């Protein structure tokens, strides 16, 4: 029996020495140490041994089992180590590779220009007001001296939602809303930035949605010269000290008199170039003295109070400042365009 055990050990060790895979190793474990294996069978036959022989053979059998188990465990450990190493190698991160740069966001050029304009006017004591983009016909037109059949309504083709509600075509309705809120108190000094909407076909200079900034000042003794001085101060902060303005007579139903305001062309300094169509001037806003009827409808007595108002298109201001040639750039979110404003 001892010889059989010894022979079994030799056979097992020989087979184990040429094992090629973990699967083979596990097969051999079952083959030699499993319940149906030769070692179990030999141990079962121990009952037939004498009492003297039993412990001796038992010891040998245990040694054989231990020897086989040892080799199997060693090999198993080697396989596991190899596997771990393989996984570590596969999962290795090369910390010397250059990283992927994450894209840095920038403030949109329109927001930037709005902020700049707000800064200029708050520096002159104005506060920033806001109003709804979906507006009542009353505030957008009627209370601005544009009754229902007024021909000047055609100047601003509108998106109506119902007969009385529309997308505001201008930020001027905030003038009326502010007057209502202030209930006859003075001074009023506000600017109001916001989106406006018109039924225009989009092209390089038109957009069905764009941005305006409205201004309104009401107090006693507000004069046209105050308007002119304010606007001159504004354009010189916006475009530089050398900038001049020119007022041309115009018409808006909510102002009397009304003017259109030109700035000397920032591109050529007034010499005449392509941007200003050789005139040296660029129109940037509409303005005027608040019409007595508008003051009245807003709850202010035009005999006691006067005021001026102005309205400008922010895109146009930005296009002139940065030499942008197409208004659609502001809305198409092309990163090549937007990134140019990273450091401004
Ligand atoms: N709301 C006018 C427009 O959209 C611009 C404007 C002109 C506003 C004169 C004013 C103003 O407040 O006084 O064309």
């Amino acid at each position: 029996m001892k010889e059989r055990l010894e022979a079994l050990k030799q056979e097992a060790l020989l087979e184990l020495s040429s094992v090629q895979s973990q699967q083979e190793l596990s097969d051999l474990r079952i083959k030699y140490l499993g319940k149906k294996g030769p070692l179990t069978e030999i141990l079962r036959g121990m009952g037939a041994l004498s009492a003297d022989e039993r412990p001796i053979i038992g010891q040998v059998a245990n040694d054989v089992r231990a020897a086989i188990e040892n080799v199997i465990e060693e090999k198993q450990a080697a396989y596991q180590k190899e596997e771990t190493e393989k996984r570590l190698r596969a999962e290795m991160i090369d910390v010397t590779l250059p990283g992927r740069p994450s894209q840095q966001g920038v403030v949109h050029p329109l927001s930037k220009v709005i902020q700049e304009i707000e800064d200029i006017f708050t520096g002159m004591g104005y506060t920033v007001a806001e109003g709804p983009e979906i507006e009542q016909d009353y505030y957008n037109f009627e209370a601005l001296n544009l009754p229902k059949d007024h021909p000047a309504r055609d100047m601003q083709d509108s998106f109506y939602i119902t007969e009385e509600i529309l997308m505001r075509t201008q930020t001027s309705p905030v003038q009326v809303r502010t007057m209502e809120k202030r209930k006859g108190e003075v001074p009023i000094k506000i600017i109001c930035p916001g989106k406006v909407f018109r039924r225009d076909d989009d092209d390089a200079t038109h957009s069905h949605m764009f941005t305006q900034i409205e201004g309104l000042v009401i107090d006693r003794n507000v004069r046209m010269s105050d308007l002119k001085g304010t606007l001159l101060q504004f354009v010189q902060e916006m475009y530089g000290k050398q900038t001049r303005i020119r007022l041309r007579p115009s018409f808006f139903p909510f102002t009397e008199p009304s003017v259109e305001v030109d700035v000397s062309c920032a591109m050529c300094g007034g010499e005449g170039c392509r941007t200003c169509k050789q005139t040296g001037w660029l129109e940037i806003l509409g303005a005027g003295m608040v019409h007595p009827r508008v003051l009245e409808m807003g709850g202010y007595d035009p005999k006691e109070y006067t005021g001026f108002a102005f309205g400008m298109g922010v895109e146009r201001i930005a296009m002139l400042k940065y030499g942008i040639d197409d208004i659609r750039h502001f809305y198409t979110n092309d990163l090549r365009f937007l990134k140019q404003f990273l450091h401004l």
Side-chain angles (χ1 to χ4, degrees):
M1 201 167 224
K2 204 169 163 185
E3 288 79 52
R4 269 181 69 198
L5 280 167
E6 209 43 57
L8 182 65
K9 179 174 151 190
Q10 292 314 323
E11 187 195 327
L13 293 185
L14 184 69
E15 258 200 280
L16 280 169
S17 70
S18 61
V19 89
Q20 296 289 352
S21 68
Q22 234 173 331
Q23 184 57 47
E24 261 181 58
L25 188 65
S26 136
D27 288 348
L28 288 180
R29 181 201 296 275
I30 294 165
K31 178 173 171 189
Y32 287 102
L33 305 177
K35 282 200 190 90
K36 289 176 186 152
L39 195 63
T40 315
E41 201 192 311
I42 291 168
L43 289 172
R44 260 194 218 119
M46 291 226 325
L49 296 175
S50 69
D52 295 342
E53 272 180 313
R54 216 175 286 152
I56 300 165
I57 297 300
Q59 181 65 47
V60 175
N62 275 342
D63 290 349
V64 167
R65 169 180 265 283
I68 297 173
E69 261 173 3
N70 267 350
V71 175
I72 289 176
E73 253 152 51
E74 254 168 45
K75 295 217 174 243
Q76 181 65 28
Y79 275 124
Q80 245 150 30
K81 190 167 167 225
E82 196 179 298
E83 221 165 65
T84 308
E85 271 166 14
K86 206 159 117 193
R87 216 186 59 228
L88 286 178
R89 239 177 286 128
E91 290 174 1
M92 190 171 72
I93 296 167
D94 182 353
V95 293
T96 66
L97 275 179
R100 275 182 225 113
S102 55
Q103 303 258 6
Q104 194 190 341
V106 302
V107 177
H108 192 278
L110 269 183
S111 306
K112 221 165 229 175
V113 172
I114 292 171
Q115 187 63 57
E116 208 176 332
I117 297 172
E118 284 182 3
D119 285 349
I120 294 172
F121 280 100
T122 51
M124 293 193 261
Y126 287 67
T127 53
V128 178
E130 273 182 9
E133 290 169 7
I134 298 170
E135 186 54 285
Q136 295 172 36
D137 183 276
Y138 173 77
Y139 289 111
N140 195 82
F141 288 131
E142 216 140 317
L144 288 165
N145 200 26
L146 273 145
K148 282 249 154 56
D149 53 356
H150 199 290
R153 282 197 179 205
D154 293 347
M155 283 159 63
Q156 301 181 4
D157 215 347
S158 320
F159 290 113
Y160 273 91
I161 294 165
T162 69
E163 265 193 28
E164 294 302 327
I165 295 174
L166 73 159
M167 305 302 290
R168 69 175 173 196
T169 58
Q170 48 187 355
T171 43
S172 307
V174 184
Q175 288 187 24
V176 186
R177 287 180 171 275
T178 305
M179 283 189 268
E180 274 187 5
K181 225 179 276 170
R182 295 295 301 276
K183 295 189 168 49
E185 277 180 30
V186 288
I188 290 178
K189 271 179 101 174
I190 55 140
I191 54 163
C192 165
K195 293 188 179 78
V196 299
F197 307 83
R198 291 187 194 177
R199 289 182 51 168
D200 270 332
D201 289 328
D202 293 358
D203 61 27
T205 53
H206 294 84
S207 171
H208 61 282
M209 185 213 81
F210 61 102
T211 319
Q212 279 191 338
I213 291 185
E214 188 78 13
L216 175 70
V217 172
I218 297 175
D219 206 341
R220 292 183 180 85
N221 303 318
V222 176
R223 291 165 308 215
M224 190 91 179
S225 54
D226 297 318
L227 170 64
K228 199 175 167 186
T230 302
L231 293 177
L232 183 63
Q233 176 72 20
F234 163 64
V235 299
Q236 291 191 341
E237 286 196 47
M238 195 70 196
Y239 293 109
K241 260 272 158 266
Q242 73 292 347
T243 314
R244 290 160 291 133
I245 56 170
R246 171 175 89 168
L247 274 52
R248 285 181 290 107
S250 183
F251 171 80
F252 298 104
F254 29 88
T255 43
E256 182 59 37
S258 301
V259 290
E260 260 163 326
V261 181
D262 299 342
V263 287
S264 52
C265 178
M267 299 292 159
C268 61
E271 296 282 299
C273 68
R274 247 181 47 195
T275 304
C276 59
K277 299 201 180 92
Q278 310 304 330
T279 63
W281 295 98
L282 292 160
E283 187 202 322
I284 57 156
L285 53 82
M289 300 307 290
V290 180
H291 197 289
R293 279 192 52 81
V294 173
L295 285 170
E296 222 162 42
M297 281 187 278
Y300 285 77
D301 181 356
K303 287 195 205 71
E304 193 174 350
Y305 301 108
T306 51
F308 65 72
F310 55 86
M312 63 185 97
V314 181
E315 284 83 350
R316 183 160 169 81
I317 303 271
M319 286 165 84
L320 296 176
K321 186 168 170 101
Y322 297 118
I324 299 163
D325 61 1
D326 194 318
I327 194 170
R328 290 166 294 195
H329 283 313
F330 289 112
Y331 319 115
T332 42
N333 289 331
D334 187 333
L335 289 180
R336 292 169 301 180
F337 170 73
L338 296 175
K339 277 187 172 168
Q340 295 177 45
F341 298 89
L342 188 61
H343 302 293
L344 291 178

